[in-house]
Amino acid sequence: MSALSRRELLAAATALPAQSAARAATSLAPNAAPQSAPNSPPRRPNILCIMVDEMRWDAMSCQGHPLVETPTLDSLAKQGTRFENCYTVSPVCCPARACFFSGRYAHVNGVESNGYPAHNGEIFLPTILRHHGYHTAISGKLHYTPKQFDYGFDQFWTFTNEGPTPELGYIAYLQKTYGSPAKWPRVEGSCPWPNDELGRDVGVFLHKAADFETEWITDRSLDYLRSRQKEQKPWFLFTSYLKPHSPSVEPQPWFGKYKPSDIPMPALPANAREIRASKRGRQRRAFVDDPEMVRIMSAIYYGSIAHIDNQIARLLSELDRLGMADNTLVMFTADHGNMLGDRGRWFKGVMYEGSARVPMIWRGPKGSRENGGKVVRQAIENIDVMPALLEAAGLPIPEGLQGRSFLKLARTGDDPSWKGTVFSQLRDRMWLENGFKYIESGTAGQGTPELYDLRNDPREQRNLAAKPAHNARLAHARQRIAAVQTTVPPAVRVPGMSTPLYAHVDEAERQQAIHNAPDNVEAREAGRAPTGQTPSRERKAGRKKR
């Protein structure tokens, strides 16, 4: 496995605050775990937050998947709590991640599409944890704009070139090791569809498995855990894997772990070929009409998940070896899912289950009441994670968060006062309540409305929106969506905490970022009007506060 050189370790130390720099350069050799001094307050728990990208909720054996093997995640779920109905409040990378770390919906924090900066004044969880004495680190993908800030992380190992220390990142590692920054070089001839907009993603990773991004991200996380063993400060580590996100590139043996012929095949629409043919450019990537392509890319997707499961085992084993596991909260989730051929679609960005529903596993420190293999079936949103983490750490939950801590659900298995509703937004909007999912299509709700009874129709095959018996349910869902979209809580403020640098973006830089956002570039190329950011809170008049 790749390891930090002395030069890289010293460079990393310069990126830390002055009070932490000396510690970052100390030996990474294991030592006895620190103990709280007699009569001192209990040490706050460490937090290992593991996020994967584009993993749908049912791609785990503990969730009943018939093929994919996830023994590490299964074990984690048996030790902690598995939330069976966790939804992202915006099913695409940047908005999902900004909502996750702000505890606020996308129209409130401003990150409404990939490439959009947050509204000025928005602050994220790592900054709050750092203010309360945590040492913070990221290994992997963050995906915020602008990319140069640390966003509250003391240590920043990027898998691209974002953050304040790109010289410590994965691209720099590849350049140093192989003389090329290419992240996904492929074995020649390993792609069956080199000229297809979607199929060209397929290929076997050219280099050794130990230098693939999934293992590099794990290696940096292990370096961090070892560096914190002698320290008294609690730590927060965000281990953020890109996979199973596209491209469909993996090293062996993970690329070939599953046979395409064994893949459960979704029913493609009868007119799938016509639908895809009607799309242009990058839009064609979001649709699939070839059963062989579905099987091969799904097999690689599940191989990526098995690879990640293998790497999480390394992380958890190291926590045990270092004596840190008993005082560490471990959580696992994804930013959004992947349709994997359902409805002839690939990737995310829609409100159907494959895209909007994500895995969520939570294991508290030793002796926590949320441990023991509970399965929570009440619906939760990914903005509920931030207040839950703060509560678990014994920290105050600031005003302005729209998420709600689910710790009572995790600890008791029930909470009669739990909201039980989900709101999600992107190009469409979704409202889920009492097992019924309403989808309002299009940015102005001009598309065909959809209503699904998930309890009796979990694959969303029967649209009930045209049934008169459900008129009241549709009207209620529309009212709730309108109420959420006109609710703008005040900016989150933490007493005594200064405003971080990333919380103010120059307006010219903001507008340039929005202009260059992928969806807006695609819209201009297709002759459509690009979308803008919801005006910042300083320009919103008469909006409701909650």
Side-chain angles (χ1 to χ4, degrees):
M1 302 299 174
S2 56
L4 284 179
S5 68
R6 174 179 173 80
R7 182 187 65 81
E8 289 170 324
L9 182 59
L10 292 174
T14 66
L16 303 176
Q19 67 270 24
S20 302
R23 291 197 298 272
T26 59
S27 169
L28 300 182
N31 291 283
Q35 301 293 326
S36 298
N39 302 318
S40 65
R43 177 178 169 177
R44 301 193 190 280
N46 304 313
I47 302 171
L48 173 58
C49 178
I50 304 170
M51 179 178 282
V52 295
D53 198 322
E54 211 165 272
M55 180 175 167
R56 53 189 284 154
W57 65 282
D58 58 355
M60 302 184 291
S61 41
C62 62
Q63 192 67 57
H65 195 277
L67 181 65
V68 68
E69 298 170 342
T70 52
T72 306
L73 294 177
D74 298 348
S75 176
L76 192 67
K78 288 179 181 178
Q79 296 165 7
T81 296
R82 176 168 61 84
F83 292 85
E84 195 165 77
N85 293 287
C86 180
Y87 288 83
T88 179
V89 298
S90 193
V92 73
C93 300
C94 294
R97 290 161 179 267
C99 294
F100 180 84
F101 272 150
S102 70
R104 292 151 70 86
Y105 292 117
H107 69 283
V108 175
N109 66 44
V111 186
E112 298 174 88
S113 185
N114 279 347
Y116 280 36
H119 285 317
N120 285 342
E122 292 292 323
I123 58 175
F124 299 114
L125 174 65
T127 304
I128 295 175
L129 290 175
R130 184 162 70 179
H131 171 73
H132 286 293
Y134 274 77
H135 192 274
T136 59
I138 177 175
S139 176
K141 176 178 179 176
L142 186 60
H143 208 179
Y144 284 178
T145 300
K147 67 181 182 181
Q148 70 268 21
F149 296 115
D150 66 20
Y151 291 99
F153 291 105
D154 294 314
Q155 175 66 62
F156 206 120
W157 283 296
T158 172
F159 99 107
T160 56
N161 58 0
E162 60 183 336
T165 53
E167 69 275 10
L168 300 179
Y170 181 58
I171 289 178
Y173 174 81
L174 290 175
Q175 180 70 52
K176 175 184 175 182
T177 307
Y178 295 104
S180 169
K183 288 184 288 186
W184 304 293
R186 300 159 208 199
V187 174
E188 187 175 353
S190 61
C191 178
W193 305 280
N195 299 316
D196 183 87
E197 289 88 346
L198 177 61
R200 66 188 178 201
D201 278 3
V202 174
V204 178
F205 186 61
L206 179 63
H207 306 314
K208 60 184 180 179
D211 286 335
F212 191 62
E213 63 183 58
T214 298
E215 306 210 7
W216 184 91
I217 289 168
T218 305
D219 289 343
R220 300 291 73 75
S221 297
L222 294 175
D223 287 334
Y224 181 74
L225 294 179
R226 293 162 187 157
S227 75
R228 300 311 301 170
Q229 191 193 23
K230 294 176 64 177
E231 305 301 330
Q232 291 299 315
K233 270 191 173 186
W235 49 260
F236 172 83
L237 172 60
F238 184 45
T239 297
S240 181
Y241 296 103
L242 174 73
K243 293 302 176 181
H245 192 289
S246 62
S248 299
V249 174
E250 276 287 326
Q252 295 290 14
W254 310 105
F255 182 90
K257 178 173 175 59
Y258 298 108
K259 296 179 181 179
S261 59
D262 292 338
I263 298 298
M265 183 67 196
L268 297 178
N271 61 341
R273 191 173 300 276
E274 289 77 11
I275 293 174
R276 191 166 192 247
S278 70
K279 307 300 178 181
R280 295 291 179 267
R282 287 184 56 84
Q283 284 188 318
R284 286 174 57 84
R285 287 176 55 78
F287 294 86
V288 63
D289 59 3
D290 182 345
E292 183 184 11
M293 189 181 294
V294 171
R295 291 184 187 278
I296 288 177
M297 294 184 70
S298 295
I300 302 166
Y301 177 91
Y302 294 134
S304 294
I305 292 171
H307 193 181
I308 289 169
D309 189 87
N310 171 271
Q311 294 300 295
I312 294 174
R314 293 178 61 206
L315 290 175
L316 300 183
S317 176
E318 191 69 359
L319 278 178
D320 286 334
R321 190 186 74 83
L322 294 172
M324 292 178 167
D326 286 355
N327 193 42
T328 299
L329 186 163
V330 180
M331 61 153 296
F332 171 85
T333 192
D335 53 359
H336 53 75
N338 188 317
M339 291 294 286
L340 294 188
D342 291 345
R343 296 175 173 266
R345 286 183 168 271
W346 204 261
F347 298 132
K348 63 277 187 177
V350 292
M351 298 300 165
Y352 303 118
E353 294 288 275
S355 167
R357 191 172 168 188
V358 297
M360 175 65 190
I361 299 172
W362 175 289
R363 187 186 77 183
K366 183 178 180 180
S368 298
R369 286 186 292 152
E370 59 265 36
N371 295 347
K374 296 186 187 72
V375 177
V376 172
R377 292 182 170 82
Q378 290 92 329
I380 66 170
E381 301 170 306
N382 66 343
I383 58 171
D384 299 327
V385 174
M386 179 175 171
L389 287 174
L390 290 172
E391 182 182 356
L395 297 173
I397 299 174
E399 292 186 8
L401 298 191
Q402 293 178 290
R404 177 179 165 187
S405 172
F406 49 63
L407 270 192
K408 185 175 180 181
L409 274 177
R411 288 173 174 171
T412 67
D414 191 24
D415 181 356
S417 66
W418 183 249
K419 57 185 179 180
T421 59
V422 172
F423 170 73
S424 190
Q425 65 189 120
L426 197 61
R427 301 172 189 87
D428 306 333
R429 285 152 305 284
M430 181 260 280
W431 183 260
L432 188 152
E433 185 174 3
N434 294 327
F436 282 86
K437 178 193 287 187
Y438 169 70
I439 301 174
E440 188 174 82
S441 302
T443 54
Q446 72 273 26
T448 302
E450 299 174 69
L451 181 70
Y452 299 102
D453 177 359
L454 297 180
R455 292 169 180 166
N456 297 303
D457 180 25
R459 300 194 64 82
E460 301 167 295
Q461 299 295 309
R462 299 184 296 276
N463 182 4
L464 305 176
K467 303 287 186 182
H470 295 286
N471 285 349
R473 194 182 303 278
L474 265 63
H476 172 75
R478 291 177 181 128
Q479 291 170 358
R480 295 301 302 271
I481 287 174
V484 172
Q485 291 191 299
T486 55
T487 297
V488 182
V492 173
R493 292 291 178 264
V494 176
M497 190 181 81
S498 59
T499 302
L501 289 176
Y502 66 76
H504 179 79
V505 177
D506 177 79
E507 189 60 24
E509 184 178 10
R510 175 184 306 281
Q511 292 306 320
Q512 186 65 35
I514 293 172
H515 179 82
N516 293 332
D519 281 356
N520 288 338
V521 171
E522 184 178 300
R524 288 193 298 273
E525 291 174 348
R528 304 191 311 272
T531 59
Q533 189 176 45
T534 299
S536 64
R537 63 180 60 85
E538 291 84 359
R539 297 193 295 274
K540 293 174 182 172
R543 304 298 290 275
K544 297 178 183 178
K545 305 293 182 183
R546 182 171 69 180

